């Protein structure tokens, strides 16, 4: 989910429309009206958008539904309608806070409208087509990489015909991975804006082509938000757990796992080869911090520096 300033969301004239998205259907609810349903197809998207035209300043609230929401969100953004894509877990907790246990598509649509009115989540920003294409490539790359790891694990104990088949499959996966890496590099070269940002990010020792592409594809807020907000988005910000005199351990939670996983591997390299970050890691471990805690701190520092590098073209590394 992209982040946006909440300023205009405080406008009392905003009409929050709940939209529950499934594979085949869009269930919607406008306060004061009745639940409606449309097909989750281009024709259904157009019909839903047409009904919004009579509303004052409509804002559509929908959950992230494993990708089924993306075509509808893209159509709404293209039509100039404000959209907020929210995490399903937060909506479910909101329902429990209301004491709502029933769950149907029409009930969820009504729930989403109330959630939007009370919580007023940030607006989704129109996506850069070049960044969307890059994200698709990285999704495919991650799928291939996961399958390669799984196949390699099976190969360890396979014999005979099964082993021969797995070896052929592994060779094909390695070839596909090499090809997608070439395609990603070619895409960044063909898109000057993305390519320039990728080159800028790689100036920090420890940032390779995969991390640079991952940040551009999955973290469009880089360079636009403060360090603490960005760290929370990625899931590397420690959250307190205090009550009264009790001081619990700070823990990271939530965030964008895709970015965090790649950032972790880069931090492992940076904590050894970077000219500054190893000192941070060693200082924290010398103070008794667990190695994993120190590594998260390195990740957070890397993210802060990368954020500054994109936000300020004049910023230079010492």
């Amino acid at each position: 989910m992209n982040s946006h300033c909440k300023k205009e969301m405080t406008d009392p004239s905003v009409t929050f429309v709940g939209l529950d998205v499934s594979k085949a259907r869009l269930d919607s609810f406008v306060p004061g009206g009745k639940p409606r349903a449309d097909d989750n197809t281009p024709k259904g998207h157009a019909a839903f958008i047409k009904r919004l035209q009579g509303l004052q300043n409509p804002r559509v609230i929908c959950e992230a539904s494993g990708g089924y929401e993306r075509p509808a969100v893209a159509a709404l953004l293209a039509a100039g309608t404000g959209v907020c894509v929210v995490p399903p877990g937060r909506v479910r907790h909101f329902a429990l806070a209301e004491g709502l246990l029933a769950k149907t598509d029409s009930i969820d649509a009504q729930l989403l409208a109330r959630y939007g009115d009370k919580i007023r989540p940030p607006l989704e920003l129109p996506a850069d087509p070049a960044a969307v294409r890059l994200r698709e490539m990285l999704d495919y790359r991650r799928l291939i990489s996961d399958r390669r790891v799984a196949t390699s694990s099976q190969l360890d104990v396979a014999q005979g015909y099964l082993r021969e088949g797995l070896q052929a499959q592994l060779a094909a996966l390695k070839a596909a991975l090499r090809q997608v890496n070439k395609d990603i590099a070619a895409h960044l070269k063909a898109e000057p804006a993305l390519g320039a940002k990728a080159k800028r990010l790689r100036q920090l020792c420890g940032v390779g082509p995969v991390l640079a592409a991952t940040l551009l594809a999955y973290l469009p807020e880089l360079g636009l938000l403060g360090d603490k907000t960005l760290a929370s988005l990625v899931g590397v910000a420690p959250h307190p757990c205090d009550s009264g005199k009790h001081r619990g351990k700070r823990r990271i939670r939530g965030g964008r796992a895709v970015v965090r996983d790649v950032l972790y591997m880069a931090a492992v390299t940076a904590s050894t080869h970077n000219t500054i970050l190893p000192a941070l890691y060693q200082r924290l471990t010398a103070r008794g911090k667990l190695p994993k805690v120190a590594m998260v701190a390195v990740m957070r520092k890397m993210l802060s520096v990368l954020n500054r590098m994109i936000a300020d073209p004049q910023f230079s590394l010492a």
Side-chain angles (χ1 to χ4, degrees):
M1 182 183 70
N2 295 341
S3 296
H4 189 47
C5 179
K6 285 190 176 183
K7 183 177 180 180
E8 71 175 57
M9 298 299 290
T10 60
D11 186 350
S13 66
V14 172
T15 302
F16 290 95
V17 179
L19 180 66
D20 184 74
V21 182
S22 62
K23 181 178 180 180
R25 202 171 69 176
L26 305 176
D27 287 88
S28 58
F29 175 76
V30 178
K34 295 182 179 180
R36 296 282 298 270
D38 296 286
D39 293 334
N40 192 2
T41 62
K43 185 177 180 180
H45 302 159
F48 173 61
I49 292 171
K50 185 176 181 179
R51 285 203 305 276
L52 299 178
Q53 293 175 355
L55 301 178
Q56 182 181 17
N57 200 7
R59 292 290 184 270
V60 177
I61 313 295
C62 72
E63 294 176 316
S65 303
Y68 291 128
E69 81 286 353
R70 291 176 188 168
V73 169
L76 287 162
L77 291 174
T81 303
V83 187
C84 307
V85 181
V86 298
R90 295 184 184 179
V91 179
R92 185 43 40 191
H93 280 89
F94 181 81
L96 294 175
E98 287 190 327
L100 178 64
L101 300 180
K103 180 175 171 56
T104 67
D105 292 340
S106 61
I107 288 176
D108 284 351
Q110 296 173 62
L111 172 66
L112 284 164
R114 296 195 302 274
Y115 178 90
D117 184 46
K118 298 298 182 182
I119 305 301
R120 297 181 177 259
L123 282 168
E124 192 80 2
L125 295 177
D128 175 14
V132 172
R133 178 66 173 173
L134 179 61
R135 182 169 182 165
E136 292 169 349
M137 290 178 170
L138 287 167
D139 286 342
Y140 180 59
R141 185 187 187 281
R142 191 168 68 256
L143 178 65
I144 294 173
S145 183
D146 290 345
R147 288 181 177 175
R148 186 187 67 167
V149 171
T151 303
S152 296
S153 298
Q154 294 172 327
L155 194 61
D156 290 339
V157 294
Q159 299 294 329
Y161 185 85
L162 175 60
R163 184 175 183 83
E164 293 172 2
L166 289 174
Q167 286 176 330
Q169 190 177 83
L170 186 60
L173 289 170
K174 289 180 178 179
L177 189 60
R178 288 193 295 270
Q179 183 59 51
V180 74
N181 286 337
K182 291 180 181 179
D183 291 343
I184 290 171
H187 180 67
L188 291 174
K189 187 175 181 180
E191 297 290 341
L194 278 182
K197 286 184 178 180
K199 185 177 180 180
R200 173 73 165 154
L201 292 172
R202 294 193 62 184
Q203 291 176 359
L204 179 65
C205 180
V207 178
V210 177
L211 177 58
T214 298
L215 291 171
L216 294 175
Y218 297 100
L219 197 64
E221 299 88 351
L222 190 68
L224 302 177
L225 300 178
D227 292 344
K228 292 183 178 179
T229 303
L230 204 66
S232 185
L233 274 179
V234 175
V236 293
H239 297 289
C241 184
D242 302 336
S243 180
K245 295 182 179 180
H246 173 73
R247 294 294 178 266
K249 289 184 178 180
R250 269 59 174 163
R251 300 180 185 276
I252 62 172
R253 60 186 300 179
R256 299 176 188 174
V258 173
V259 178
R260 188 170 59 253
D261 291 347
V262 180
L263 182 61
Y264 174 80
M265 297 307 299
V268 171
T269 300
S271 64
T272 303
H273 300 289
N274 191 282
T275 56
I276 299 174
L277 295 175
L280 171 63
Y281 181 83
Q282 293 165 8
R283 184 169 67 251
L284 291 174
T285 53
R287 286 166 48 190
K289 297 293 185 182
L290 294 173
K292 186 175 289 188
V293 173
M295 191 59 67
V296 171
V298 172
M299 295 166 66
R300 194 161 54 249
K301 185 64 175 179
M302 286 184 68
L303 193 62
S304 175
V305 172
L306 293 169
N307 192 38
R308 182 72 181 276
M309 290 173 66
I310 295 297
D312 183 6
Q314 304 301 321
F315 175 74
S316 60
L317 298 170

